[in-house]
Amino acid sequence: MALKIDADCLYPECFSAHLSGPGKRLRFASREDRVEIQRGGNFDITTYGAKPGAQDISQALLSAWKDACASATPSKVVIPKGSYAMLSVKLQGPCKAPIEVDIGGTMLAPPDPAKYKGIDAFVTVEGVTDLTFTGVDGGGVFDGQGAMAWKKNDCAKTGKCDSLPYNFRFNNLKNSRISHITSKDSKLFNMNVLGCTNVTLEDITISAPLESLNTDGIHIGRSEGITINGAKIGTGDDCVSIGDGTKNLHVQNVECGPGHGISVGSLGRYQNEAPVVGVYVKNCTFTNTQNGVRIKSWLGSYAASASELHFEDITVNNVMNPVVLDQAYCPYNHCTTKEASKVKLSNISFKRIKGTSGSANALKLVCSNGFPCQNVQVEDIDLKYSGKEGPVFSECANVKPTTTGKLNPAPCSKTPSTASGAATAE
């Protein structure tokens, strides 16, 4: 007896509907059969046993991914609307064809960080080319439920700041797009982009309270050709942080706040850091943040370098430190020495930056006295301050910026009390 089986009919309860009469026998589909049946189609996690509610769907999602990844033609993993409990998944490539993941639901991580012993992320996507990872129908929410973990974060005391799971790790992706995703209350960093090439993150929402330590919004490291466009980020740390080995990064149309701003660095903490070359931050708005745009390297650093760092068309609203170039960075007093930073900074520009500062020192350019900054440009700055600290000013050390246009404050209207500059907070 030949049976016609629908593409989504892969499990016994579904197959039983196709049988009638006594003595009928049916061989259930193997994994290879299922891939053949669904070739080029949708791989819905509910057909793999996933259900909204408290049951962990990790295995169902992994199974759907493996079958979709094995398809020789473009395929799609579908997570329908609903709230799903999930411990952790690692979606690994390479895949045989372009692959898409559509998330209509909300994914909930366990609140207790003890569940993540030996696990470094809620979701890891690794080694995939031509990936589309997107929220649909108002979904795409990944809730790390991090409040319990934040209380256990001892980074300020120990300096060990990577002991909790991230919400996302995107590792070694190529020619891919991540869009309409919400990362909420991660236990540590929200999104980490590492070793990726030609990846766009668009219409991303990231939220965590100001008191959530080390919940960086999007961290980029050792990646090339990354674009962040249209993100709304509020966290307890940097909205966007840029690590070593980053090349040709474009960050545009980002709304940041609360948080610590958009930061290149901190650089020079570790040996053999790869150069940062080409960071372009444009059309971004900062509201009630600790910093606006920032470049930072450690006191007593190892040798490193960063060049072609450009910040343009920036608006700040009550930002404590609107523009910061700080080569005396020493959070929680964790510097190994107080020697001058060995990070070489060159070809930097700050252009068309306006708004209100939360402190009188609105434009800080404090470079290393061992390696003064080279070719720093400041153009059309209009930063207002109306607090009790006195008139707005700019602090400089070991730099001679070129200036054009309207400048308020005038660059380098004040020098710091020490040649290396005062260390800033995290």
Side-chain angles (χ1 to χ4, degrees):
M1 173 183 177
L3 297 177
K4 181 179 179 182
I5 307 298
D6 294 335
D8 290 334
C9 186
L10 304 177
Y11 285 84
E13 59 269 26
C14 178
F15 277 128
S16 63
H18 293 272
L19 296 176
S20 61
K24 299 295 190 293
R25 299 180 66 187
L26 178 66
R27 179 180 66 84
F28 295 113
S30 66
R31 178 174 177 272
E32 290 76 15
D33 292 334
R34 295 201 303 270
V35 174
E36 184 63 32
I37 291 169
Q38 294 203 26
R39 183 178 294 275
N42 293 349
F43 294 77
D44 190 317
I45 64 167
T46 61
T47 67
Y48 292 79
K51 296 179 181 179
Q55 180 181 348
D56 181 15
I57 68 159
S58 300
Q59 191 55 53
L61 176 53
L62 285 170
S63 296
W65 170 267
K66 288 177 181 177
D67 286 352
C69 191
S71 174
T73 56
S75 58
K76 181 187 297 184
V77 175
V78 177
I79 302 174
K81 285 186 176 182
S83 293
Y84 301 89
M86 188 175 76
L87 175 60
S88 176
V89 293
K90 180 177 283 189
L91 308 179
Q92 291 184 288
C95 297
K96 292 184 177 180
I99 186 167
E100 182 172 341
V101 181
D102 283 4
I103 307 104
T106 295
M107 320 299 281
L108 301 172
D112 187 355
K115 299 283 188 181
Y116 284 88
K117 188 175 182 179
I119 301 174
D120 63 4
F122 186 24
V123 177
T124 299
V125 189
E126 184 172 274
V128 185
T129 299
D130 295 324
L131 166 74
T132 301
F133 191 92
T134 187
V136 296
D137 300 326
V141 179
F142 291 79
D143 189 346
Q145 301 199 92
M148 186 183 299
W150 303 331
K151 295 176 182 178
K152 297 183 178 182
N153 190 333
D154 59 357
C155 175
K157 295 180 181 179
T158 66
K160 297 178 180 178
C161 306
D162 201 19
S163 59
L164 294 166
Y166 296 9
N167 260 12
F168 287 97
R169 288 183 183 270
F170 297 110
N171 300 332
N172 304 310
L173 305 183
K174 293 182 180 180
N175 305 332
S176 296
R177 179 185 179 88
I178 301 157
S179 65
H180 303 289
I181 296 296
T182 295
S183 178
K184 183 172 184 275
D185 290 345
S186 180
K187 293 175 176 64
L188 206 66
F189 284 27
N190 280 270
M191 294 183 175
N192 190 59
V193 179
L194 182 66
C196 295
T197 304
N198 296 334
V199 174
T200 295
L201 297 95
E202 191 166 29
D203 295 324
I204 302 295
T205 300
I206 294 175
S207 64
L210 184 61
E211 62 271 17
S212 58
L213 192 65
N214 302 115
T215 53
D216 291 50
I218 303 173
H219 179 75
I220 314 293
R222 303 193 180 191
S223 297
E224 184 171 359
I226 308 301
T227 297
I228 300 171
N229 183 31
K232 295 182 179 180
I233 305 174
T235 74
D237 211 294
D238 292 330
C239 290
V240 178
S241 56
I242 300 155
D244 76 297
T246 299
K247 296 181 179 180
N248 192 26
L249 168 67
H250 292 261
V251 180
Q252 55 201 37
N253 304 314
V254 170
E255 297 178 18
C256 173
H260 294 181
I262 294 178
S263 297
V264 177
S266 54
L267 300 175
R269 187 176 187 183
Y270 304 104
Q271 284 185 303
N272 302 318
E273 290 184 359
V276 174
V277 182
V279 173
Y280 307 89
V281 178
K282 191 171 183 177
N283 292 326
C284 294
T285 300
F286 301 82
T287 302
N288 298 323
T289 54
Q290 184 185 91
N291 307 291
V293 293
R294 177 168 62 157
I295 304 166
K296 51 182 177 174
S297 72
W298 283 75
L299 277 175
S301 73
Y302 292 101
S305 68
S307 61
E308 301 300 340
L309 312 178
H310 303 289
F311 306 88
E312 300 180 1
D313 301 307
I314 304 297
T315 299
V316 296
N317 302 307
N318 191 36
V319 170
M320 188 59 63
N321 306 293
V323 179
V324 180
L325 196 168
D326 179 15
Q327 293 204 262
Y329 184 68
C330 186
Y332 313 122
N333 201 31
H334 284 159
C335 305
T336 55
T337 76
K338 301 297 183 181
E339 296 178 359
S341 175
K342 298 181 180 66
V343 177
K344 297 179 181 180
L345 299 178
S346 62
N347 300 336
I348 300 165
S349 66
F350 302 98
K351 298 181 179 181
R352 298 182 297 280
I353 299 176
K354 64 181 182 180
T356 56
S357 176
S359 68
N361 188 1
L363 177 62
K364 179 178 179 178
L365 306 175
V366 175
C367 296
S368 168
N369 58 9
F371 296 91
C373 298
Q374 302 296 316
N375 190 23
V376 177
Q377 300 177 7
V378 180
E379 177 183 317
D380 289 329
I381 305 295
D382 188 10
L383 297 170
K384 297 178 174 62
Y385 171 71
S386 58
K388 299 178 181 179
E389 299 175 16
V392 67
F393 68 90
S394 167
E395 175 186 10
C396 290
N398 308 306
V399 62
K400 296 180 180 179
T402 59
T403 61
T404 55
K406 179 180 180 180
L407 297 169
N408 179 45
C412 306
S413 52
K414 187 174 182 179
T415 58
S417 57
T418 63
S420 60
T424 60
E426 168 66 13

